């Protein structure tokens, strides 16, 4: 492991870590994206207690393992890019508090709804589960929109804007885009886990989700090209980068075709490819910055935001040891709980 880290130079280590945190973010968005989507659909599609229990139990053994990727991403950002963490946390302080509230509340709702004996009590926690999932997905999109369009930073990297500055139309539309993307991801996942009449209605929900997502996807794409010129500067310098958005458009189109043909697993893989290529697009738009500022002179570059070479090297050794365990754990959990969801006495 130590020999492996010696392959990297002090100059390359920040970019190795930039790639690694991108991989961690991609893993989180693909895996937790579908269970956030199941939470959003929980507000709309199930029509009785049995269907609501099927929805919750489809993600019951998986959701907490999925969030390991978010914890790992946050820890890696804190340790390897402390200057970016110090800039991003105060800038998104209110959003982070709301995000933590949403993630905690949806987890509590899943546990408590099954312990309620009254119909009103279960419905209350059902709404909490759905609202928490919706809010978390929306906040991820709003944060991404602000990072792409740029934050108001001073020469010390301190955020000088207000909460209202983060709620301009473009980031809010990005928030809607991510809600629809995760709803589509959740509908495809539920289709794989269910049977019968509920599965047929989920298939219709997946079609509606894809149409709405495709419309907002087109709006955000045109809006970005027209009003965020910095997002395409790297693509003008390196034309080969246009292969990334081409792949992304192909994945979005293939997802829709697979949804209509009801090839659920293929649709899930295509939508995962769509999410992964969106993260790569974000990285390509930001590079060599970690956070864009409204004034380009205040951009926070990857090399300036990184920890010392010694910290980056030790972190790489820790990841080399720990990441295989996370991958093995995730694989075992998904293999153990494969197949259709069935309700049993110990279910949620």
């Amino acid at each position: 492991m130590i020999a492996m880290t010696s392959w990297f130079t002090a100059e390359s280590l920040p970019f190795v870590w930039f790639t690694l945190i991108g991989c961690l973010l991609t893993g989180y968005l693909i895996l937790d994206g579908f269970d956030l989507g199941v939470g959003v659909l929980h507000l709309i599609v199930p029509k009785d207690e049995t269907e609501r229990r099927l929805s919750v139990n489809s993600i019951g053994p998986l959701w907490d393992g999925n969030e390991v990727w978010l914890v790992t991403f946050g820890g890696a950002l804190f340790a390897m890019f402390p200057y970016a963490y110090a800039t991003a946390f105060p800038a998104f302080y209110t959003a982070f508090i709301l995000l933590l509230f949403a993630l905690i509340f949806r987890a509590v709702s899943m546990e408590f709804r099954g312990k309620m004996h009254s119909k009103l009590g279960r419905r209350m926690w059902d709404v909490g589960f759905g609202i928490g999932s919706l809010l978390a997905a929306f906040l991820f999109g709003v944060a991404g929109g602000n990072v792409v369009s740029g934050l108001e930073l001073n020469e010390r990297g301190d955020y000088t804007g207000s909460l209202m500055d983060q709620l301009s139309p473009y980031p809010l539309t990005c928030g809607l885009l991510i809600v629809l993307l995760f709803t589509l991801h959740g509908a495809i996942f539920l289709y794989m886990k269910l049977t019968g009449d509920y599965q047929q209605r989920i298939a219709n929900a997946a079609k509606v989700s894809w149409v709405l997502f495709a419309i907002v996807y087109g709006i955000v794409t045109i809006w970005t090209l027209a009003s965020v010129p910095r997002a395409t500067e790297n693509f003008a310098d390196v034309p080969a980068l246009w292969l990334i958005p081409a792949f992304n458009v192909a994945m979005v189109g293939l997802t829709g075709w697979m949804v209509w043909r009801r090839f659920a697993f293929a649709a899930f893989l295509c939508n995962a490819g769509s999410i992964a290529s969106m993260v790569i697009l974000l990285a390509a738009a930001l590079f060599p910055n970690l956070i864009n500022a409204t004034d380009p002179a205040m951009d926070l570059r990857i090399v300036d935001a990184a920890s010392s070479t010694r910290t980056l090297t030790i972190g790489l050794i820790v990841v080399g040891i720990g990441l295989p365990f996370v991958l093995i754990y995730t694989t075992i959990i998904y293999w153990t709980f494969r197949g259709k969801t069935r309700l049993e006495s110990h279910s949620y």
Side-chain angles (χ1 to χ4, degrees):
M1 188 61 65
I2 293 175
M4 185 188 75
T5 58
S6 66
W7 297 346
F8 304 110
T9 64
E11 290 74 23
S12 67
L13 276 172
F15 301 105
V16 171
W17 269 105
F18 179 68
T19 305
L20 280 174
I21 64 169
C23 292
L24 293 171
L25 180 62
T26 302
Y28 170 72
L29 294 178
I30 290 174
L31 295 179
D32 209 35
F34 71 74
D35 66 53
L36 290 174
V38 169
V40 175
L41 291 165
H42 195 73
L43 289 169
I44 308 167
V45 184
K47 64 180 183 180
D48 56 33
E49 174 62 10
T50 299
E51 291 185 351
R52 294 187 189 96
R53 289 187 69 201
L54 283 168
S55 285
V56 173
N57 282 280
S58 70
I59 61 171
L62 309 173
W63 70 269
D64 48 355
N66 293 341
E67 293 191 352
V68 167
W69 291 81
L70 178 63
V71 175
T72 309
F73 167 77
L77 186 65
F78 172 74
M80 303 304 146
F81 295 101
Y83 302 106
Y85 198 89
T87 297
F89 197 87
F92 296 116
Y93 187 76
T94 304
F96 281 148
I97 295 298
L98 285 173
L99 176 62
L100 286 174
F101 178 80
L103 292 176
I104 292 171
F105 199 71
R106 72 187 292 271
V108 171
S109 298
M110 290 174 65
E111 296 293 337
F112 277 29
R113 73 170 307 283
K115 296 177 173 57
M116 293 289 108
H117 297 293
S118 69
K119 184 177 179 180
L120 178 62
R122 287 194 295 274
R123 288 299 294 147
M124 182 185 72
W125 289 113
D126 283 333
V127 172
F129 174 52
I131 295 294
S133 304
L134 178 66
L135 181 60
F138 182 70
L139 289 172
F140 282 125
V142 171
N146 276 291
V147 169
V148 171
S149 58
L151 299 173
E152 293 185 20
L153 303 179
N154 62 20
E155 65 280 0
R156 298 178 54 191
D158 298 327
Y159 180 63
T160 58
S162 66
L163 175 63
M164 294 308 298
D165 292 329
Q166 298 172 15
L167 300 179
S168 61
Y170 178 76
L172 292 178
T173 309
C174 291
L176 177 61
L177 178 74
I178 297 303
V179 168
L180 293 171
L181 175 63
F182 285 175
T183 303
L184 171 62
H185 209 38
I188 297 169
F189 176 78
L190 273 177
Y191 185 84
M192 292 191 292
K193 301 296 287 185
L194 299 174
T195 58
D197 178 61
Y198 188 25
Q199 185 192 42
Q200 301 310 309
R201 283 186 287 116
I202 283 293
N204 294 332
K207 292 177 182 176
V208 173
S209 299
W210 184 85
V211 171
L212 294 176
F213 166 72
I215 293 171
V216 178
Y217 175 83
I219 292 172
V220 170
T221 300
I222 295 170
W223 200 336
T224 304
L225 293 172
S227 66
V228 192
R230 297 192 64 194
T232 55
E233 284 179 354
N234 289 335
F235 295 82
D237 296 336
V238 185
L241 290 177
W242 285 106
L243 291 173
I244 305 170
F247 178 78
N248 183 243
V249 170
M251 286 296 101
V252 171
L254 278 174
T255 301
W257 188 71
M258 297 295 178
V259 165
W260 253 263
R261 297 297 301 270
R262 300 199 179 189
F263 296 152
F265 185 64
F268 188 84
L269 292 180
C270 289
N271 208 44
S274 174
I275 293 171
S277 52
M278 281 185 180
V279 176
I280 298 172
L281 263 175
L282 175 64
L286 289 177
F287 192 87
N289 301 325
L290 199 55
I291 297 177
N292 275 349
T294 50
D295 179 357
M298 306 300 170
D299 288 341
L300 188 60
R301 299 190 307 159
I302 295 168
V303 292
D304 297 331
S307 288
S308 66
T309 300
R310 184 178 179 83
T311 302
L312 296 174
T313 303
I314 293 173
L316 208 56
I317 295 172
V318 172
V319 165
I321 296 171
L323 191 57
F325 287 103
V326 175
L327 294 173
I328 291 170
Y329 164 81
T330 302
T331 303
I332 291 174
I333 291 296
Y334 275 78
W335 178 257
T336 302
F337 293 99
R338 67 190 185 280
K340 301 294 183 182
T341 300
R342 293 179 176 81
L343 297 180
E344 298 174 2
S345 59
H346 59 274
S347 300
Y348 285 97

